[in-house]
Amino acid sequence: MKLSDLDTPAVLIDVDRADANLQRFQAYADAHGLRVRPHIKTHKLPRFAKRQVELGAVGITCQKLGEAEVMADAGLTDIFIPYNIIGKAKLDRLVALHNRIKIAVTADSAATVSGLAAAFAGSAKPLDVLVECDTGMGRCGVQTPDAAVALAKVIDAAGDLRFAGFMTYPKAGGVPQNQAWLAAAKQKAADAGLDPRIISNGGSPDMWRAHEVTAATEHRPGTYIYMDRFQVAKNAGTWDDCALTVLATVVSRPTDNRAVIDAGSKSLSSDTFGMEGFGRIVEFPDAVITSLSEEHGTIDLSACTLKPQIGDRVRIIPNHACVVSNLFDSVVLISGDEVVDIAPVAARGRVG
Amino acid sequence: MKLSDLDTPAVLIDVDRADANLQRFQAYADAHGLRVRPHIKTHKLPRFAKRQVELGAVGITCQKLGEAEVMADAGLTDIFIPYNIIGKAKLDRLVALHNRIKIAVTADSAATVSGLAAAFAGSAKPLDVLVECDTGMGRCGVQTPDAAVALAKVIDAAGDLRFAGFMTYPKAGGVPQNQAWLAAAKQKAADAGLDPRIISNGGSPDMWRAHEVTAATEHRPGTYIYMDRFQVAKNAGTWDDCALTVLATVVSRPTDNRAVIDAGSKSLSSDTFGMEGFGRIVEFPDAVITSLSEEHGTIDLSACTLKPQIGDRVRIIPNHACVVSNLFDSVVLISGDEVVDIAPVAARGRVG
């Protein structure tokens, strides 16, 4: 089966590029003695999670329990969920999952630790808990290294939990700040007689500077497998590294400078990350996808010398690859122009 | 089952509000002699499509073939697809669907008409084709009333197609411009001896002014069933009309003025429609959802006197209800605090 046999819109994954991206970062991390624990949110596919482990990853990262359950069902055995697991329903699922495979989670409050401690009371297998640290991102996380150590002590004092270290999702561009924060937390933990075995750093935008965060023991890249327009803007990769594209058809050419494609926000998502436009059209790099409706992408062709015609197909590198994976029931794996396989996105839509 | 028994995030549909919204617009349209052809993209649920017809809708609207196939399978028999259907794979599906139920489509170019004519050549049942008109939105559509009539003639001349009228998705706030455009096209069509039986107008933001577009014979509201933050901003409804909310849990309170919930862009979508923030929190209307990651919603509580605690649940009216329906495999139908049913979102993800 060839690309030309596919109907549109469709998500194409260039498996050769994806594999090269995985190998490149693993080799970099190996060279710096840094462990890799990839975030599967980008691909949501067991086959790529397994390939990441095969290449040397120490395990995988899932953002939600539902994703981890899918990956455990597929045979993954070491999963980190860097999330505050709250409420009886989720805690019961967490205990069940921990009884099957190796699980670690994060906490950024005594309230979260208290829930975990109650759920794991009397457990045969203590649960690894890392303290989530806000080293600059401004999302979850304790606010200071001292607060990190204080929460580590709370975890350490809860009998069936095991303090395992520190975790951060850092602010893009904040490498020195992140390193200083984590190094301070590490030192203060040691001073308090605690052992932060794992110091887990994350993110793809600054992944080639991961070795500068010397306090970290592992890195959790996600988007690196597919790359996207934002990662290229951040110089994490080049256009030729981008493995995920959305195949679309030009369905309308209402004016000389306007085209409309059959991929809108239901295919590309509305994520902009502050950039102009909603993706890069591979065949028409000077075109601008100026607006999206759910099923229409409107394109300004003013800057293009060559212009597409109705029925032409184009491939779009989206602003954000991860959210595109979440919009499609299946993705098409390709090698060159050849369709290799069609893969259901097994962990799609697992928000809980 | 009660709301309190649900895990989060979950999409809640208040069935009483939804039904009141449907009845209110149907009554308005009936009073003005305007037909209603609701767009199912908002709910994607056969049960609500059937209810819309039961209340008086002449049929339904689907944006893509895949949605129409789901609705036809569920028993809907009159479906308008206001889209340029391009390419053999989709044209074959269109013919198959048209053989089962009553279908109409749009075209805005001779290229689209030519594909339709070839696919329906020799068909026992001619296909109704409306000309899509760009009356101000700047998306698809012919650019002038004269161009609309010219394309109507092309359709009329294609043996197995039947020119059925004009269709527009108008610019929000452009009621007089829309009316003038359609009235001109109608007059020019009559002058050319053509009969635009259907003049189909759309959109929820200006739906209470639909009667001012006297050229139109029908209206295609979508979001009116659920309403959302954007529709309230456009005065199409009130907060108390909003039938879709996302139930979420506060998972972190890193600072006095920051909360993080377990609903991010995978639950609320990144759609802003130019508004500040990513939704309205019913219990904390002064809170601002300032940013979304895929699984985190970050909230600024600066303006709140009362503030939520970790583990508290909140309900969010999203900026755009339709895209939220598309993100969840199922929605929870509620009446007050009682769970009435859990409904699979049958037409979710049908992008092709």
Side-chain angles (χ1 to χ4, degrees):
Chain A
M1 197 183 188
K2 297 276 186 192
L3 276 195
S4 51
D5 299 322
L6 296 170
D7 201 5
T8 65
V11 174
L12 312 179
I13 307 297
D14 184 315
V15 292
D16 306 310
R17 289 185 179 191
D19 207 67
N21 290 338
L22 296 186
Q23 294 195 40
R24 195 181 304 120
F25 186 75
Q26 186 68 51
Y28 159 83
D30 288 346
H32 289 95
L34 199 58
R35 293 187 202 108
V36 183
R37 183 179 282 279
H39 204 309
I40 62 82
K41 75 186 181 101
T42 306
H43 54 72
K44 305 182 199 297
L45 299 176
R47 70 178 75 198
F48 285 149
K50 290 178 185 172
R51 177 64 177 154
Q52 287 168 318
V53 171
E54 185 179 87
L55 287 171
V58 293
I60 61 167
T61 306
C62 295
Q63 204 60 44
K64 289 285 181 88
L65 260 174
E67 295 177 332
E69 287 163 343
V70 169
M71 291 295 154
D73 289 347
L76 280 298
T77 57
D78 185 336
I79 303 181
F80 179 33
I81 308 173
Y83 212 80
N84 290 289
I85 307 292
I86 307 273
K88 179 164 169 36
K90 288 201 179 68
L91 288 166
D92 287 350
R93 287 164 61 197
L94 182 63
V95 170
L97 193 58
H98 186 56
N99 286 335
R100 294 167 59 194
I101 63 165
K102 185 174 182 303
I103 290 283
V105 301
T106 54
D108 73 354
S109 69
T112 297
V113 174
S114 164
L116 292 170
F120 283 85
S123 168
K125 215 173 140 189
L127 178 74
D128 275 355
V129 181
L130 286 79
V131 173
E132 180 161 0
C133 303
D134 181 1
T135 65
M137 171 74 172
R139 197 170 64 182
C140 294
V142 296
Q143 295 296 298
T144 63
D146 284 324
V149 173
L151 191 59
K153 288 179 185 168
V154 175
I155 296 166
D156 196 51
D160 302 293
L161 306 180
R162 192 165 58 171
F163 168 66
F166 300 117
M167 167 264 165
T168 185
Y169 186 85
K171 181 187 166 108
V175 172
Q177 172 187 6
N178 190 27
Q179 160 61 14
W181 207 112
L182 294 174
K186 184 180 174 181
Q187 183 59 54
K188 284 170 190 280
D191 294 348
L194 293 164
D195 176 22
R197 284 183 291 122
I198 304 166
I199 298 187
S200 183
N201 186 23
S204 292
D206 290 323
M207 68 183 190
W208 301 113
R209 296 182 64 188
H211 66 287
E212 295 178 39
V213 185
T214 55
T217 63
E218 72 173 25
H219 198 80
R220 309 182 315 277
T223 320
Y224 80 122
I225 183 170
Y226 291 162
M227 293 296 171
D228 56 26
R229 189 165 172 246
F230 180 67
Q231 299 301 331
V232 174
K234 291 286 171 191
N235 293 310
T238 68
W239 296 122
D240 289 340
D241 298 326
C242 290
L244 182 151
T245 51
V246 174
L247 181 70
T249 299
V250 175
V251 295
S252 180
R253 282 298 318 279
T255 72
D256 188 44
N257 283 327
R258 192 195 311 159
V260 180
I261 53 174
D262 62 352
S265 67
K266 271 176 64 182
S267 297
L268 294 167
S269 101
S270 304
D271 279 10
T272 62
F273 290 134
M275 298 182 291
E276 189 199 9
F278 293 92
R280 175 187 169 94
I281 304 179
V282 175
E283 298 81 359
F284 301 93
D286 296 325
V288 181
I289 305 176
T290 51
S291 66
L292 299 179
S293 308
E294 283 147 86
E295 305 287 10
H296 302 82
T298 303
I299 299 168
D300 180 359
L301 302 170
S302 306
C304 304
T305 38
L306 285 175
K307 296 175 185 181
Q309 297 307 307
I310 290 171
D312 284 357
R313 286 162 170 235
V314 293
R315 287 171 68 176
I316 300 142
I317 297 170
N319 287 347
H320 187 189
C322 316
V323 291
V324 172
S325 284
N326 191 55
L327 289 168
F328 282 76
D329 289 340
S330 61
V331 293
V332 181
L333 307 184
I334 61 166
S335 179
D337 281 343
E338 202 67 48
V339 173
V340 175
D341 202 359
I342 294 178
V345 185
R348 188 202 60 72
R350 305 297 164 129
V351 290
Chain B
M1 196 183 190
K2 296 279 186 189
L3 276 195
S4 51
D5 299 321
L6 296 170
D7 201 5
T8 64
V11 174
L12 312 180
I13 307 297
D14 184 316
V15 293
D16 306 309
R17 288 185 180 190
D19 208 66
N21 290 339
L22 297 186
Q23 294 195 39
R24 194 180 307 121
F25 187 75
Q26 186 68 50
Y28 159 84
D30 288 347
H32 288 94
L34 199 58
R35 292 186 203 109
V36 183
R37 184 179 281 278
H39 204 308
I40 61 83
K41 75 187 182 102
T42 306
H43 54 73
K44 305 182 197 298
L45 299 175
R47 72 180 74 198
F48 285 147
K50 289 178 185 171
R51 177 64 177 154
Q52 287 167 319
V53 171
E54 186 180 86
L55 286 172
V58 294
I60 62 168
T61 306
C62 295
Q63 204 60 44
K64 289 286 182 86
L65 260 173
E67 295 177 332
E69 288 163 344
V70 169
M71 291 294 154
D73 289 348
L76 280 297
T77 56
D78 185 335
I79 303 180
F80 179 34
I81 308 174
Y83 212 80
N84 289 288
I85 307 292
I86 307 275
K88 177 162 170 38
K90 287 201 180 68
L91 288 165
D92 286 351
R93 288 164 61 197
L94 181 65
V95 170
L97 192 60
H98 186 57
N99 286 336
R100 294 167 60 194
I101 63 166
K102 184 173 184 303
I103 291 283
V105 301
T106 54
D108 72 356
S109 70
T112 296
V113 173
S114 163
L116 291 169
F120 283 84
S123 168
K125 213 172 141 189
L127 178 74
D128 274 355
V129 182
L130 286 78
V131 173
E132 180 161 359
C133 303
D134 181 1
T135 65
M137 170 73 173
R139 198 170 65 182
C140 293
V142 297
Q143 296 296 298
T144 63
D146 284 324
V149 173
L151 190 60
K153 287 179 184 166
V154 176
I155 296 165
D156 197 51
D160 302 292
L161 307 180
R162 191 165 59 172
F163 168 67
F166 300 117
M167 167 264 166
T168 185
Y169 186 83
K171 182 188 166 104
V175 171
Q177 171 188 7
N178 189 28
Q179 160 61 14
W181 207 113
L182 294 174
K186 183 180 175 181
Q187 184 58 54
K188 284 170 190 280
D191 293 348
L194 293 163
D195 176 21
R197 284 183 289 122
I198 304 166
I199 298 187
S200 183
N201 187 21
S204 293
D206 290 322
M207 68 185 190
W208 301 114
R209 297 182 62 188
H211 66 285
E212 295 177 40
V213 185
T214 54
T217 63
E218 72 173 24
H219 198 78
R220 309 182 314 279
T223 318
Y224 80 122
I225 182 171
Y226 291 162
M227 293 296 168
D228 56 25
R229 189 164 172 245
F230 180 67
Q231 298 301 332
V232 174
K234 291 285 171 193
N235 293 311
T238 69
W239 297 121
D240 289 340
D241 297 327
C242 291
L244 182 151
T245 50
V246 174
L247 181 69
T249 299
V250 175
V251 294
S252 180
R253 282 296 318 279
T255 72
D256 188 44
N257 283 328
R258 193 197 308 161
V260 181
I261 52 174
D262 63 351
S265 67
K266 271 175 64 182
S267 296
L268 294 167
S269 102
S270 303
D271 279 10
T272 62
F273 290 133
M275 297 181 292
E276 190 200 7
F278 293 92
R280 175 188 169 93
I281 304 179
V282 175
E283 298 81 359
F284 300 93
D286 296 324
V288 182
I289 305 176
T290 51
S291 66
L292 299 179
S293 308
E294 283 146 87
E295 304 288 9
H296 302 82
T298 302
I299 299 169
D300 180 359
L301 303 170
S302 306
C304 304
T305 39
L306 285 176
K307 296 173 185 181
Q309 298 307 306
I310 291 171
D312 284 356
R313 287 161 168 237
V314 293
R315 288 171 67 177
I316 300 143
I317 297 169
N319 287 346
H320 187 189
C322 316
V323 290
V324 172
S325 285
N326 191 54
L327 290 168
F328 282 76
D329 289 340
S330 60
V331 294
V332 181
L333 307 184
I334 60 167
S335 180
D337 282 342
E338 203 66 48
V339 172
V340 175
D341 201 359
I342 295 179
V345 185
R348 188 202 59 72
R350 305 299 164 129
V351 290

